[in-house]
Amino acid sequence: MPINYYIFLAIALFSIGVAGVLTRRNAIIIFMCVELMLNAVNLLLVAFSKMHYENVVVFNPASPVGTEAQLFVFFIMVVAAAEVSVGLAIIVMMYRNIHSVDVNFLNRLKH
Amino acid sequence: MRGTYFKLRNSYLIYIMNSIIDLVYLVPLFPLIGFLINGLGRNNLSKSLSGIIGSGVILASFIVSLLIFNETRAEGFTATTVNLFEFINVAGLNIPFAFQIDQLSALFLLIITGVGFLIHVYSTSYMHEEAPQHFARYFAYLNLFVFSMLLLVLGANYLIMFIGWEGVGLCSYLLIGYWFKNNEYGNAARKAFVMNRIGDLGFLLGLFFIIQQFGSLTYIDVFSQAQGAGTSILTVITLLLFVGAMGKSAQIPLYTWLPDAMAGPTPVSALIHAATMVTAGIYMIARSNILYTLAPVSQTVVAVIGLATAILAATIALKQNDIKKVLAYSTVSQLGYMFLGLGVGAYTGAVFHVMTHAFFKALLFLGAGSVIHAMHHEQDIRKMGGLAKKLPVTHWTFLAGCIAIAGIPPFSGFFSKDEILVHAFAANPVYYIIGLAGALMTAFYMFRLYAMTFRGTFRGTHEQEHPRLNDAVGQDLHESPWQMTMPLVVLAVLAIVAGFVGIPELFAADAHKLEHYLAPVFAASTDIAEAHHVSHETEYTLLAVSITLIVVSILYALNRFSKKPETGEAEGFGKILANKWYVDELYNNIITKPLNGFGIFANRFIEKSGIDGLVNGVGKTVQWGGRQLRLLQSGQVGNYVLWMVLGILIFFVLAITILNK
Amino acid sequence: MSITEILFWFLTAMAVGGALMMVTSKNPVYSVLWLIVVFFAISGHYILLNAQFLAVVNIIVYAGAIMVLFLFVIMLMNMNADNEPQKNIWLKIAGMIAGGCLLLVFIAAIRQTEALQIQKVNTGGQTGLIHLLGKTLFTDYVLPFEISSVLFLSAMVGAVVLGRKGD
């Protein structure tokens, strides 16, 4: 399987996430789009770890190369989980205060 | 025993003598201290105290100067430089704050502090009507002036000279505008300042050229390299320096400030505008004599301008009716003679004339001050007359001054003027003829002044003659107090005898002590310049002609104005002279008015609509841009994200298209 | 076309389609469900790439914990298609265009890197297995692992502080 396929898939998911952030006003949906972008990157990282393994597999089939990349993904998930808990708390706060999750109401800094 | 004692005494003496030269900084320091005390304490000092301080510091300077002068008279004395501290040291240009003592500066020190002291003493009485704080202010200015002038003549390089040069310009402004409440006096002060500034610009440019050419401003360095420099650059330098001298020493075309400067108190006129400040230009050229000797074109320019000034000012003086104006124009005229002397290479003669002129012109001004004082501030000679009996001391001393300036032997003016004229004859007989015409006019207008003031009958008002009729405590028109007459007598004696230091070789071999004394200063120039020699027969003839003509013109003037003084307004050609050839009007019309017009134009169009428009326009554009850019900050998170994405896009596109190439 | 390829294309279609549906759904609940579909597809990709551990963690953490949290919040706020805020149509188009441009630029950038074109992935090997990952995690990466626990603690404190009612 060429690495290109995975790259394009990840790009597609990432771009859809960006487009979602840009087009939606619901804070929760925007948050979900950010999660989607994170996952696209995760997928890419895993694919690259396997690409590096492909490069060394002829010399050493038992090579542990690529472990770091997958651990990186693991840490991204950890951070994402923490981020989601705080982010959702913020959104709940926001809903409690202005009774909406519309990001367009988050323009108080302007005044 | 006896031998050792003498030895000790000798070395002690030598120590003292060395230390006097080293103590030269005391000379300008005393007036500076006086300035500070009088200037800062002017609200607390009593009049007599500030007068004593003001005069005392000058006396102290005079005593030190006298010791220094005594030192320089010693055989084999060479110019000494006293380094005080490092002043400017940047990019290879080293200008120390140093004083140079040689015969020329020592002589000027004596003139400045000596005449200055007498004028200070005179001022204590002349200015006694002023309020205490103004009295102290006056003495502070005088002391500052003397300080600047001393700095000017003592400096070992052109920069110190320039500091003094600017200082005397400033003090002249302050003193002319001393009665600053009078608008006209203020204008006269500004005129003097601006005219001086024009000259100063030339002087400053000259200094820049010197730095560029010689890499130094120190006299010794510059003069020792001067012979190696090209004539053209020397001509440029000397002409620019001469522009500075024109401003300071009131030569054509920058002379008009000096007559107006008579707005200041009379002792100020005596000190600044006769005896010392205006001689700064002469000093500067005499100091730079080697540069001028190497630039013959400049010498010619100096001589011609000097001669033109001498004759022009003399013609104007013929018809002036203000006692101080006559003296002012005579000063301008005498300065012209000095420049003539410098221009024809008679450096000693010029310095000699500076000295004698300082004595007799200070005497004349102080005498005029005495007259004005007695006449209760009346300056018009048409309203005087017959004062000889009422002011005997003033009368005799003034007469001595008149004879001295007219050039009758054995009064001092004769010797110095004669020396210049003989040298002028040697250089070019035309110079001599014009110079002699000027001298005749000088004799004529001085004796016209004398006759109209002291001879004939009194033409003033009855109140001026007998003030006590209206004022119980007043007295009859009377002689001035001793503080005023003492300087007059001293100066009169000097004006009579000062000429004997420069008796021409014609009368006695080796009798020209001044030339002998100053020889080291001008040695380089005398070596280069071809000596003009006039045979003794010619010299006798010239003397006889000039003395005869002068005596005739004096007798004519005395005869004419004692009996039948001019009391009306001048007519015809006289009117042109009385109006000073309309030079002030000419300057006003061709320089001041167009400049004013241009200023108004520039203010209205360039400043208001151009520069203001530009500046305000920039401000308005920024404000407008700010208002528009503010709209980008919508506060909507979505917008910000959109911009962020667009920014990322741009960076990627740039990375792909440019960096990948 | 091998079974792997078939699975690859199927999972890809599922991920992209789910993502598109997630972005375009009006009802937030549907969006969450579609996102879960995307996560499952991505987990499938992980399995295809022989990264079983990550596949499992992805399902547990993302599809399980995180998405349930999302769902919980949405239901708590009682959101549905009716009270869904709608953006200005022009802004929507601008957003779509910006996203599309980003996609194009990325593709163009990838296209230029010729060294990547010939690279392949190998789905074999031991790297994705829990044994190897766990060993590396608790030896070489034990410090970041512990620090991440501090991060969780601070996130928990933050969430509690933010969620406190009134003050």
Side-chain angles (χ1 to χ4, degrees):
Chain A
M1 195 70 61
I3 185 73
N4 262 356
Y5 291 4
Y6 285 99
I7 294 175
F8 288 141
L9 172 59
I11 288 174
L13 290 178
F14 189 88
S15 298
I16 290 167
V18 170
V21 169
L22 291 179
T23 48
R24 301 301 295 259
R25 282 167 64 186
N26 189 327
I28 294 179
I29 307 286
I30 288 172
F31 209 14
M32 279 156 56
C33 290
V34 174
E35 294 300 317
L36 180 65
M37 285 149 76
L38 277 174
N39 267 279
V41 173
N42 285 352
L43 177 64
L44 201 55
L45 279 170
V46 175
F48 278 130
S49 88
K50 288 300 173 185
M51 182 188 86
H52 286 296
Y53 178 71
E54 161 78 18
N55 290 341
V56 297
V57 74
V58 267
F59 311 109
N60 179 15
S63 162
V65 75
T67 312
E68 277 88 354
Q70 298 198 11
L71 278 179
F72 208 90
V73 172
F74 176 73
F75 281 115
I76 289 176
M77 285 178 184
V78 168
V79 174
E83 171 223 333
V84 164
S85 64
V86 178
L88 281 176
I90 291 172
I91 289 171
V92 170
M93 258 324 267
M94 170 187 165
Y95 184 78
R96 195 188 286 158
N97 282 333
I98 62 176
H99 300 287
S100 169
V101 288
D102 187 346
V103 287
N104 278 11
F105 290 127
L106 290 178
N107 56 4
R108 289 286 161 79
L109 279 182
K110 192 174 157 187
H111 303 296
Chain B
M1 274 308 279
R2 193 163 262 251
T4 34
Y5 171 74
F6 271 123
K7 224 177 197 173
L8 274 176
R9 242 179 83 113
N10 263 348
S11 63
Y12 184 58
L13 270 178
I14 287 164
Y15 172 72
I16 290 256
M17 289 196 167
N18 277 344
S19 70
I20 280 297
I21 296 287
D22 290 337
L23 288 178
V24 64
Y25 61 84
L26 286 178
V27 178
L29 186 66
F30 284 128
L32 184 63
I33 291 172
F35 161 66
L36 291 176
I37 294 176
N38 273 330
L40 296 176
R42 65 181 184 282
N43 291 329
N44 305 321
L45 290 175
S46 71
K47 280 207 272 193
S48 55
L49 193 58
S50 54
I52 288 169
I53 293 171
S55 314
V57 291
I58 306 297
L59 182 63
S61 287
F62 177 62
I63 291 167
V64 178
S65 308
L66 211 56
L67 293 171
I68 290 171
F69 176 73
N70 199 38
E71 189 78 353
T72 57
R73 275 178 57 197
E75 199 65 38
F77 175 84
T78 46
T80 315
T81 305
V82 179
N83 263 318
L84 293 186
F85 52 86
E86 193 171 84
F87 187 41
I88 291 176
N89 190 359
V90 61
L93 179 67
N94 187 14
I95 303 173
F97 201 96
F99 289 155
Q100 177 169 338
I101 322 297
D102 60 3
Q103 287 82 357
L104 186 61
S105 53
L107 183 65
F108 268 86
L109 284 190
L110 268 194
I111 297 173
I112 294 161
T113 52
V115 177
F117 171 64
L118 293 175
I119 291 169
H120 275 68
V121 173
Y122 181 93
S123 298
T124 53
S125 170
Y126 188 84
M127 302 298 285
H128 69 89
E129 288 168 16
E130 297 291 314
Q133 72 266 30
H134 290 299
F135 192 76
R137 180 166 66 91
Y138 173 80
F139 274 97
Y141 289 165
L142 275 195
N143 284 343
L144 183 63
F145 167 76
V146 173
F147 165 73
S148 310
M149 193 68 201
L150 291 172
L151 214 56
L152 193 156
V153 298
L154 273 176
N157 55 54
Y158 281 104
L159 192 71
I160 309 293
M161 184 197 265
F162 186 65
I163 295 172
W165 191 272
E166 292 293 309
V168 292
L170 169 71
C171 294
S172 142
Y173 167 78
L174 292 172
L175 283 166
I176 296 168
Y178 172 72
W179 286 307
F180 52 81
K181 281 177 185 160
N182 185 323
N183 217 5
E184 253 178 59
Y185 293 176
N187 284 343
R190 272 198 318 211
K191 184 173 180 182
F193 199 65
V194 170
M195 287 274 182
N196 269 302
R197 296 305 308 177
I198 296 171
D200 293 348
L201 180 66
F203 190 67
L204 203 55
L205 287 176
L207 296 198
F208 293 152
F209 272 106
I210 289 177
I211 292 176
Q212 193 239 355
Q213 178 69 22
F214 301 109
S216 171
L217 282 178
T218 306
Y219 297 144
I220 300 170
D221 300 345
V222 173
F223 299 154
S224 61
Q225 295 174 50
Q227 297 215 36
T231 309
S232 54
I233 184 75
L234 282 178
T235 306
V236 170
I237 289 173
T238 47
L239 283 179
L240 284 171
L241 290 181
F242 181 53
V243 170
M246 276 179 197
K248 202 58 81 192
S249 296
Q251 295 298 294
I252 292 174
L254 301 178
Y255 71 95
T256 55
W257 68 271
L258 185 57
D260 286 18
M262 296 304 131
T266 311
V268 170
S269 308
L271 178 62
I272 299 196
H273 307 119
T276 50
M277 168 182 167
V278 290
T279 59
I282 318 284
Y283 169 78
M284 189 267 291
I285 292 182
R287 174 60 80 198
S288 328
N289 60 76
I290 181 71
L291 302 182
Y292 281 86
T293 307
L294 289 170
V297 178
S298 302
Q299 270 195 313
T300 312
V301 171
V302 171
V304 168
I305 297 247
L307 199 57
T309 311
I311 199 87
L312 181 85
T315 56
I316 295 174
L318 290 176
K319 281 288 173 187
Q320 296 302 309
N321 288 323
D322 184 324
I323 184 166
K324 285 176 76 180
K325 282 272 162 72
V326 176
L327 292 176
Y329 278 106
S330 112
T331 302
V332 176
S333 169
Q334 297 303 312
L335 289 166
Y337 279 112
M338 296 175 207
F339 277 104
L340 173 65
L342 295 172
V344 298
Y347 297 115
T348 311
V351 174
F352 188 20
H353 201 50
V354 165
M355 189 179 90
T356 56
H357 177 253
F359 296 144
F360 61 67
K361 190 47 69 65
L363 167 63
L364 288 171
F365 263 116
L366 295 186
S370 179
V371 170
I372 293 167
H373 187 71
M375 293 291 291
H376 297 278
H377 299 285
E378 176 58 64
Q379 301 192 5
D380 194 333
I381 51 175
R382 286 172 298 190
K383 296 186 181 134
M384 297 178 184
L387 295 177
K389 289 195 192 89
K390 300 196 165 76
L391 306 170
V393 180
T394 310
H395 165 240
W396 286 114
T397 51
F398 198 89
L399 182 61
C402 284
I403 298 177
I405 195 173
I408 302 289
F411 285 59
S412 60
F414 163 74
F415 295 102
S416 53
K417 192 183 280 185
D418 176 62
E419 187 172 345
I420 291 175
L421 285 178
V422 168
H423 275 85
F425 182 82
N428 189 343
V430 177
Y431 290 167
Y432 174 78
I433 292 166
I434 300 176
L436 184 60
L440 295 182
M441 280 191 262
T442 306
F444 180 80
Y445 66 68
M446 284 316 296
F447 277 87
R448 167 175 173 266
L449 178 67
Y450 166 75
M452 289 189 49
T453 311
F454 291 100
R455 292 302 178 92
T457 50
F458 187 72
R459 294 182 295 278
T461 57
H462 200 62
E463 285 78 25
Q464 281 170 329
E465 195 175 6
H466 303 292
R468 72 174 145 192
L469 294 181
N470 304 334
D471 183 356
V473 291
Q475 295 167 289
D476 271 4
L477 189 55
H478 62 103
E479 183 57 272
S480 306
W482 69 268
Q483 293 100 323
M484 287 167 74
T485 50
M486 187 275 284
L488 288 179
V489 173
V490 174
L491 284 170
V493 171
L494 285 171
I496 294 168
V497 302
F500 294 121
V501 302
I503 299 170
E505 226 173 292
L506 191 63
F507 299 137
D510 235 5
H512 204 318
K513 295 200 186 80
L514 190 72
E515 186 167 359
H516 187 63
Y517 171 70
L518 286 173
V521 180
F522 304 125
S525 292
T526 30
D527 287 349
I528 296 166
E530 66 223 79
H532 301 291
H533 276 298
V534 184
S535 69
H536 281 188
E537 290 76 38
T538 326
E539 212 171 330
Y540 274 123
T541 320
L542 295 178
L543 282 188
V545 168
S546 72
I547 293 172
T548 316
L549 287 175
I550 284 171
V551 169
V552 166
S553 83
I554 288 174
L555 291 177
Y556 174 67
L558 276 179
N559 192 32
R560 172 144 185 242
F561 293 107
S562 299
K563 306 228 173 77
K564 195 159 58 84
E566 286 175 347
T567 44
E569 291 297 325
E571 284 168 3
F573 186 63
K575 198 175 171 195
I576 298 177
L577 293 182
N579 283 308
K580 311 151 201 166
W581 293 99
Y582 296 101
V583 170
D584 275 327
E585 286 77 6
L586 188 73
Y587 283 2
N588 199 22
N589 279 326
I590 63 171
I591 297 173
T592 315
K593 275 188 187 163
L595 272 181
N596 271 344
F598 178 72
I600 290 167
F601 167 81
N603 179 38
R604 197 171 291 163
F605 295 101
I606 298 177
E607 171 72 20
K608 290 260 166 64
S609 54
I611 295 176
D612 280 6
L614 191 70
V615 173
N616 291 339
V618 169
K620 275 180 187 154
T621 312
V622 171
Q623 278 187 346
W624 180 85
R627 270 198 302 280
Q628 302 306 310
L629 282 175
R630 183 181 64 89
L631 299 180
L632 285 180
Q633 299 284 332
S634 61
Q636 307 284 354
V637 182
N639 270 353
Y640 295 150
V641 178
L642 185 62
W643 287 116
M644 195 176 94
V645 171
L646 290 178
I648 293 170
L649 263 176
I650 289 168
F651 277 122
F652 267 98
V653 170
L654 285 180
I656 293 166
T657 53
I658 295 171
L659 298 181
N660 244 15
K661 290 268 159 67
Chain C
M1 203 181 235
S2 70
I3 183 75
T4 321
E5 284 183 19
I6 292 169
L7 275 175
F8 174 84
W9 289 117
F10 170 69
L11 289 172
T12 300
M14 187 171 151
V16 174
L20 284 173
M21 292 305 289
M22 189 271 289
V23 171
T24 50
S25 295
K26 284 200 171 143
N27 195 328
V29 179
Y30 291 167
S31 288
V32 173
L33 296 179
W34 280 116
L35 190 58
I36 290 171
V37 169
V38 177
F39 287 157
F40 269 103
I42 289 174
S43 291
H45 273 300
Y46 288 163
I47 292 170
L48 269 186
L49 286 167
N50 204 17
Q52 288 95 339
F53 173 68
L54 283 182
V56 173
V57 170
N58 198 36
I59 286 174
I60 294 174
V61 174
Y62 267 114
I66 294 179
M67 293 328 289
V68 168
L69 205 55
F70 270 100
L71 210 50
F72 178 72
V73 170
I74 286 167
M75 300 233 169
L76 189 75
M77 293 173 186
N78 194 22
M79 285 179 184
N80 49 44
D82 300 335
N83 58 16
E84 172 68 10
Q86 289 299 322
K87 259 197 172 165
N88 185 343
I89 185 75
W90 294 109
L91 271 178
K92 269 191 180 176
I93 292 169
M96 297 295 285
I97 290 171
C101 286
L102 196 63
L103 180 69
L104 288 177
V105 167
F106 279 146
I107 289 172
I110 298 302
R111 281 280 175 209
Q112 282 196 342
T113 53
E114 276 147 20
L116 264 183
Q117 307 294 324
I118 50 168
Q119 294 284 355
K120 286 190 165 27
V121 294
N122 188 303
T123 53
Q126 302 286 309
T127 37
L129 299 187
I130 194 163
H131 174 71
L132 202 59
L133 280 177
K135 210 171 127 190
T136 318
L137 183 62
F138 290 111
T139 53
D140 295 348
Y141 289 86
V142 68
L143 187 65
F145 182 76
E146 293 299 336
I147 290 174
S148 67
S149 68
V150 179
L151 177 72
F152 267 118
L153 182 67
S154 59
M156 191 176 78
V157 172
V160 169
V161 169
L162 282 171
R164 249 184 341 162
K165 185 156 189 156
D167 29 60

